[in-house]
Amino acid sequence: MRISELKLHPIAVADGPLRSSYGLHAPYALRTIVEIKTTDGITGISETYGGDGPLAALEAVRSRVVGMDPFQLASFWQYLAAESEKEKADTAGGRSQTWLVPGENPLDKHTRTNAAIEVACLDAIGKALGRPVCDLVGGKVRDRVPFSAYLFYKHAGGGGMGADARDDEYGEILTPEAVVRSCRQMINQYGFKEIKLKGGVLPPDDEIAAIKALRAEFGPTFPLRIDPNCAWSVDTSVRVGRELKSELADGGYLEDPCAGMDGMAEVRRRLLAEGNKTPLASNVATTCFAHVPEAKRTDGVQIILSDPHYWGGIRSQQKLSDLCEVLGLGMSMHSNNHLGVSLMTMAHAAAVCPSLTYACDTHYPWQTEMDEVVVGGRIKFENGSVVISDKPGLGVTLDYDQVARGTERYNKLPYRKRDDEAEMQQHIDPTWKRVLPRW
Ligand code: GKR
Ligand code: MG
């Protein structure tokens, strides 16, 4: 079996005006659907970040991918790793996501590209053999992958623009009452059993109040997390950790409260000194294998938030799971706006990682049926989990009409990258800047 064709479908997916410390989500999130065809007529698919950067990186490997045996994934990575080595000198700034969101960090380029090609190859192999992707890499350790209710502060609006605007399912969410209401709505619809609030948007006391309101409404059996994406200073992080000590206990965590591993390590030391064992999780300070030893050495991160899209793919995810087990670190999964192909990738990746013991993040509830590109429409959740079936590959195929609609939307857009700061200035406050720490 050889790869005979690589097709890249850039698409735009309606997205609501969600807030984070990065700024505001644009009316459309950008994604790329990757499709490979093999000489035996099999199609393999994957989904990755969108816009010019990720697309160019995929274009750059076209001649290496076409003609490749889809089983030869290790040598494909070897090739990309060598390319990455060559380019390293040109890249200023750190690898972390403190300033750059995933998809926009040039240092993620090779792991991101590897993941997109690896997953499409695994999907094709699975479809050729009639086996699910998880079976190709050792088999699943769980039949269902739990996801969490991922809550966001947001302005009114459901995403999209003009005649293509989506219904505003959740309405404006800027108060503790609205956070609780949106959570109830999401849990009723999807059955999630764990809750994460994207913070770093309102002053810390308002976000503390929101977490306390969630605890009051849902009780201690729903683990709670808050993630301000580095919006707080070390002092503020310690204060929030102190005030939310009981709410973040029992399966909860404090995620990337401040910028940098040293800051995270200081927060950890000061909380521990007070007898507060709330673990710190990160997808900002730790974004690649090279960050893991420092996370362990400094104790700045106790739970690594992986993501098959930029850690290198499903096999890298498994390596990370083993590493976390050896080092005594916890592991969960980060997300960005995505559709069903990514959801199934995340589910298969989580299903094969023994040490992934927390419910994974997903932005899926923020997207709608109108944008889904898989045949049969949106993936169903059962009691907050995605079921890993025996269907071949990722278990999904493309609805080409829907892909074409996504590409049509993409072609009409004036932007080709995610820029939450620019969106914030355009729609909310022309003077807004991403300042860290903000509080
Ligand atoms: O969608 O605004 C967002 C999130 O802030 C996302 O970009 C983050 O990467 O969900 C992510 C996180 O956990 O930090
Ligand atoms: Mg995070």
Side-chain angles (χ1 to χ4, degrees):
M1 178 157 62
R2 295 270 159 191
I3 298 172
S4 53
E5 203 182 341
L6 170 69
K7 284 190 175 178
L8 303 174
H9 306 276
I11 57 167
V13 177
D15 190 24
L18 308 185
R19 290 282 301 273
S20 77
S21 81
Y22 296 109
L24 177 76
H25 283 207
Y28 294 93
L30 309 179
R31 302 293 285 169
T32 307
I33 302 295
V34 176
E35 200 184 0
I36 57 163
K37 306 258 183 212
T38 71
T39 42
D40 2 18
I42 306 282
T43 297
I45 57 173
S46 67
E47 177 186 337
T48 184
Y49 300 96
D52 283 346
L55 207 53
L58 283 160
E59 272 303 340
V61 296
R62 182 181 290 282
S63 61
R64 177 68 176 69
V65 170
V66 175
M68 172 179 142
D69 173 349
F71 285 86
Q72 301 311 314
L73 295 169
S75 62
F76 181 62
W77 170 243
Q78 202 176 27
Y79 158 77
L80 280 175
E83 291 297 300
S84 166
E85 242 352 272
K86 278 190 238 158
E87 288 175 29
K88 222 172 228 169
D90 303 335
T91 316
R95 171 86 191 234
S96 82
Q97 288 170 23
T98 305
W99 297 101
L100 292 165
V101 286
E104 295 304 335
N105 192 334
L107 284 172
D108 285 341
K109 184 167 105 181
H110 299 94
T111 47
R112 211 196 304 135
T113 303
N114 189 65
I117 300 300
E118 181 213 74
V119 172
C121 287
L122 291 176
D123 184 48
I125 295 169
K127 282 174 176 149
L129 299 177
R131 302 294 294 255
V133 161
C134 56
D135 281 3
L136 307 178
V137 291
K140 58 191 176 185
V141 293
R142 52 184 72 84
D143 293 328
R144 323 173 149 248
V145 173
F147 286 84
S148 57
Y150 192 171
L151 313 176
F152 279 79
Y153 290 105
K154 71 179 275 291
H155 299 278
M161 284 188 304
D164 190 45
R166 305 287 177 273
D167 290 343
D168 187 2
E169 234 185 294
Y170 292 94
E172 181 183 89
I173 306 170
L174 291 171
T175 62
E177 295 71 33
V179 169
V180 169
R181 171 183 49 74
S182 66
C183 189
R184 177 60 69 198
Q185 197 178 328
M186 215 179 257
I187 284 176
N188 283 348
Q189 194 174 342
Y190 297 92
F192 298 127
K193 308 268 183 274
E194 301 186 23
I195 301 169
K196 162 166 166 172
L197 175 64
K198 172 59 60 180
V201 174
L202 302 179
D205 286 330
D206 296 16
E207 299 189 353
I208 289 171
I211 291 288
K212 287 188 183 284
L214 286 167
R215 172 49 48 93
E217 174 76 11
F218 295 95
T221 55
F222 281 78
L224 296 170
R225 293 141 201 179
I226 181 162
D227 174 16
N229 286 115
C230 320
W232 304 332
S233 65
V234 167
D235 284 349
T236 303
S237 304
V238 172
R239 180 169 79 78
V240 176
R242 187 180 297 142
E243 295 199 26
L244 292 178
K245 182 179 174 190
S246 67
E247 288 78 6
L248 300 182
D250 307 320
Y253 49 74
L254 184 56
E255 181 173 330
D256 286 309
C258 60
M261 195 68 83
D262 291 346
M264 295 278 284
E266 192 181 334
V267 172
R268 172 72 170 166
R269 270 195 303 277
R270 284 170 56 180
L271 288 176
L272 278 181
E274 298 177 1
N276 184 338
K277 295 192 181 138
T278 299
L280 302 184
S282 180
N283 63 274
V284 174
T286 45
T287 68
C288 62
F289 285 96
H291 290 153
V292 179
E294 205 196 343
K296 181 66 189 172
R297 187 181 57 75
T298 62
D299 198 23
V301 176
Q302 292 76 54
I303 301 166
I304 307 245
L305 303 174
S306 58
D307 185 329
H309 299 93
Y310 65 84
W311 276 80
I314 294 177
R315 289 155 58 252
S316 294
Q317 190 82 26
Q318 276 186 307
K319 281 186 217 159
L320 182 63
S321 172
D322 291 344
L323 186 57
C324 286
E325 211 170 302
V326 170
L327 295 176
L329 292 168
M331 181 177 168
S332 186
M333 196 183 288
H334 153 275
S335 78
N336 269 124
N337 291 101
H338 64 89
L339 295 173
V341 183
S342 275
L343 182 63
M344 292 315 298
T345 302
M346 292 156 76
H348 277 268
V352 297
C353 292
S355 67
L356 205 158
T357 50
Y358 297 86
C360 303
D361 290 352
T362 177
H363 284 57
Y364 204 58
W366 300 103
Q367 268 54 71
T368 74
E369 183 78 38
M370 275 180 77
D371 296 275
E372 185 51 90
V373 293
V374 300
V375 169
R378 277 166 72 75
I379 312 291
K380 309 277 177 297
F381 285 76
E382 280 183 20
N383 293 321
S385 296
V386 169
V387 176
I388 304 295
S389 75
D390 287 333
K391 286 189 196 155
L394 293 171
V396 286
T397 53
L398 290 180
D399 176 331
Y400 289 95
D401 291 338
Q402 281 293 87
V403 173
R405 285 183 199 106
T407 301
E408 201 180 310
R409 284 192 292 270
Y410 181 92
N411 288 336
K412 286 187 191 149
L413 284 182
Y415 54 90
R416 288 286 177 266
K417 66 187 281 234
R418 176 175 169 188
D419 187 344
D420 291 16
E421 189 176 71
E423 289 299 317
M424 192 69 187
Q425 290 167 359
Q426 194 184 334
H427 300 284
I428 309 290
D429 174 359
T431 64
W432 197 88
K433 284 251 164 263
R434 183 146 195 264
V435 176
L436 295 182
R438 190 172 295 281
W439 292 283

